[in-house]
Amino acid sequence: MESGQWTEDIKKALENNDQALAVKRVQEYLDKENNTPINIAVTGESGSGKSTFVNAFRGINNEDEGAAPTGCVETTTEVTPYLHPNYPNVKLWDLPGIGTPNFSADNYLELVGFERFDFFIIISATRFRENDVKLAQEIQGMKKKFYFVRSKIDSDLRNEEISQRDFNAERTLQQIRDNCIQGLQRQGVESPQVFLVSSFHLHLYDFTLLGDTFEGELPAHKKHALLLAMPNISQDVIDKKKKAFQSKIKYYATLSAGVAAAPVPGLSAAVDVGVLVSVVTQYVNGFGLDKPSLQRLADSTHVPYDELIAIIVSPLAAVKITPGLVLKVLLGCAGTAALMAAEEGSRFIPILGILAAMSLSFTFTYRALSYFLDTLAEDAQRVFKKALGLDTSV
Ligand code: GDP
């Protein structure tokens, strides 16, 4: 449905004095916006690190409930989707290796149902083999994108460090990259790009570049959905999420102003708060500041949960977001309380009052959301630094 139609529906619900329906419609709109499906296929030989990559991308430890099973024996024997915990519309599919029993190399893509995937990640813990290349060529033939990921880079670096007297990390990384690229070229892949990744340390090496590359090649609506689900592994990712959220605030504020124009006294604030609760929940989830995400982060980084919580300033993180809580935070924030009172008061003056209510409601929603976004983004940066041990002063 077009955004104009949604606004009409919301207004109609308000005119019929159906406040609950209006809030529901607003929520439906917000949900739809964030439900763009993304399907990422992860394939490669058994033991190459597919399941560990899928888990790391979702911010889940290999031992956690809902983790893709990992281990040294063949663990992936079926095409299995793993949902992102905060964005179930983003699915990572752990595919059986090409050429494993039941998944012959000849019709592998048909067997795994290639149509549903937005792109493929081909993982290898060593050089890329004939089957990897064959698969890449077939994916290309199907007009889909693929990315080569060379996994377990941490382990290569560690081995080199032990065995080489004049060990140099940069040089080793370059050698691994060159070996992979030359190997692929020898097998007929033109100008291959290979991303060096450690699923145990996504913030190091090429994972950030891989994320930027996905983003650059996806259509706009998918780009937004994938960005929100990306793990918060750099300041840059958090900044990008903030900008993406920021760009929508004007729209929510306009929606709120549209609702305020309905001549039903007393309803605007209820709807506004309904919008605020939904949007703030998105911010908290996107920044990984909800309780389960913080718990998972604590588990994987071994930074105690309480220490992460201790550096968070906003009272909206790690709790259930309710209208009462949102109002309480707003009332504690100078300026907004007066604005809210003015908005409801002006509604009783016809025409002029409605116009005033519209602009006040726009300003109110705009300011409130900007305030929430700023404080939560700052918290996300603090948590990120603390989790990675970049800032030990707090
Ligand atoms: P799959 O069979 O392709 O799904 O591979 P798994 O994800 O089960 O990984 C096989 C083994 O490699 C497991 O013991 C993982 O712990 C290990 N592994 C996976 N990724 C990494 C990584 O980035 N670094 C290191 N050091 N080990 C990894």
Side-chain angles (χ1 to χ4, degrees):
M1 212 186 295
E2 289 301 306
S3 59
Q5 180 64 50
W6 281 93
T7 319
E8 279 309 303
D9 276 6
I10 294 161
K11 267 196 214 162
K12 209 177 287 163
L14 280 173
E15 278 157 14
N16 293 334
N17 225 343
D18 195 343
Q19 174 187 340
L21 184 66
V23 176
K24 191 164 161 263
R25 288 273 175 271
V26 172
Q27 251 141 17
E28 276 169 10
Y29 176 75
L30 299 182
D31 287 348
K32 189 173 169 284
E33 249 217 348
N34 291 300
N35 276 344
T36 309
I38 307 250
N39 289 286
I40 305 171
V42 183
T43 178
E45 278 187 1
S46 162
S48 56
K50 295 182 294 292
S51 314
T52 307
F53 179 86
V54 164
N55 293 336
F57 194 106
R58 297 156 68 227
I60 286 180
N61 290 314
N62 280 352
E63 305 78 38
D64 285 353
E65 208 184 310
T70 57
C72 292
V73 286
E74 173 76 64
T75 44
T76 312
T77 51
E78 279 169 49
V79 180
T80 319
Y82 292 93
L83 278 54
H84 188 284
N86 284 356
Y87 296 97
N89 51 310
V90 176
K91 294 190 183 112
L92 285 109
W93 297 71
D94 192 353
L95 302 189
I98 183 166
T100 47
N102 302 332
F103 290 88
S104 79
D106 290 338
N107 52 353
Y108 182 81
L109 282 180
E110 276 77 26
L111 289 170
V112 299
F114 74 91
E115 307 87 352
R116 65 183 138 199
F117 301 121
D118 290 289
F119 54 84
F120 289 76
I121 293 173
I122 305 175
I123 293 198
S124 176
T126 55
R127 65 187 177 79
F128 290 90
R129 298 182 202 275
E130 200 187 324
N131 271 344
D132 297 318
V133 172
K134 195 171 160 208
L135 182 60
Q137 283 158 347
E138 283 186 24
I139 295 170
Q140 204 159 28
M142 303 290 185
K143 303 269 176 284
K144 298 265 179 182
K145 294 252 175 229
F146 62 88
Y147 304 93
F148 287 115
V149 164
R150 169 61 164 78
S151 62
K152 307 191 194 177
I153 291 301
D154 57 308
S155 145
D156 290 272
L157 286 173
R158 212 171 28 248
N159 293 344
E160 280 291 301
E161 192 170 9
I162 295 167
S163 62
Q164 297 283 326
R165 211 176 301 153
D166 59 342
F167 169 72
N168 174 305
E170 276 310 312
R171 198 178 55 216
T172 304
L173 291 173
Q174 195 54 45
Q175 277 165 357
I176 300 172
R177 201 186 308 277
D178 291 347
N179 280 344
C180 286
I181 289 175
Q182 283 157 13
L184 286 166
Q185 280 169 337
R186 268 198 301 276
Q187 297 182 75
V189 183
E190 264 178 54
S191 42
Q193 199 179 3
V194 177
F195 298 89
L196 310 188
V197 170
S198 162
S199 295
F200 296 156
H201 310 280
L202 285 186
H203 62 290
L204 300 175
Y205 322 118
D206 292 344
F207 183 80
T208 308
L209 183 65
L210 179 65
D212 290 347
T213 311
F214 296 155
E215 254 189 81
E217 296 181 354
L218 279 173
H221 63 297
K222 297 235 176 194
K223 200 180 288 194
H224 179 78
L226 183 67
L227 172 64
L228 298 189
M230 283 299 281
N232 294 322
I233 45 137
S234 69
Q235 280 181 284
D236 192 43
V237 171
I238 297 169
D239 279 344
K240 274 198 208 161
K241 286 186 183 182
K242 185 180 172 188
K243 283 205 186 86
F245 285 135
Q246 185 82 52
S247 69
K248 306 264 168 187
I249 290 186
K250 211 163 53 184
Y251 176 66
Y252 297 135
T254 309
L255 191 76
S256 182
V259 169
V264 184
L267 287 191
S268 163
V271 175
D272 283 346
V273 174
V275 173
L276 293 182
V277 168
S278 294
V279 180
V280 167
T281 307
Q282 285 177 33
Y283 295 170
V284 170
N285 287 343
F287 289 133
L289 293 171
D290 55 302
K291 202 170 174 182
S293 295
L294 287 166
Q295 190 64 62
R296 285 192 297 270
L297 183 67
D299 291 346
S300 60
T301 56
H302 305 296
V303 175
Y305 177 81
D306 290 344
E307 287 184 22
L308 293 179
I309 289 287
I311 54 165
I312 292 176
V313 174
S314 171
L316 295 162
V319 289
K320 184 166 168 39
I321 315 284
T322 60
L325 177 65
V326 166
L327 283 178
K328 208 170 121 201
V329 177
L330 281 178
L331 288 171
C333 156
T336 29
L339 203 58
M340 254 162 67
E343 188 195 356
E344 284 310 313
S346 66
R347 194 71 56 77
F348 298 99
I349 310 161
I351 312 294
L352 266 183
I354 290 169
L355 287 176
M358 274 182 82
S359 63
L360 281 177
S361 189
F362 181 94
T363 314
F364 165 61
T365 308
Y366 194 93
R367 283 204 194 156
L369 286 178
S370 302
Y371 168 74
F372 289 138
L373 181 58
D374 286 349
T375 47
L376 288 166
E378 279 167 23
D379 277 335
Q381 294 286 12
R382 265 192 291 273
V383 167
F384 154 75
K385 285 187 193 152
K386 178 83 185 168
L388 293 183
L390 299 178
D391 185 1
T392 46
S393 63
V394 238

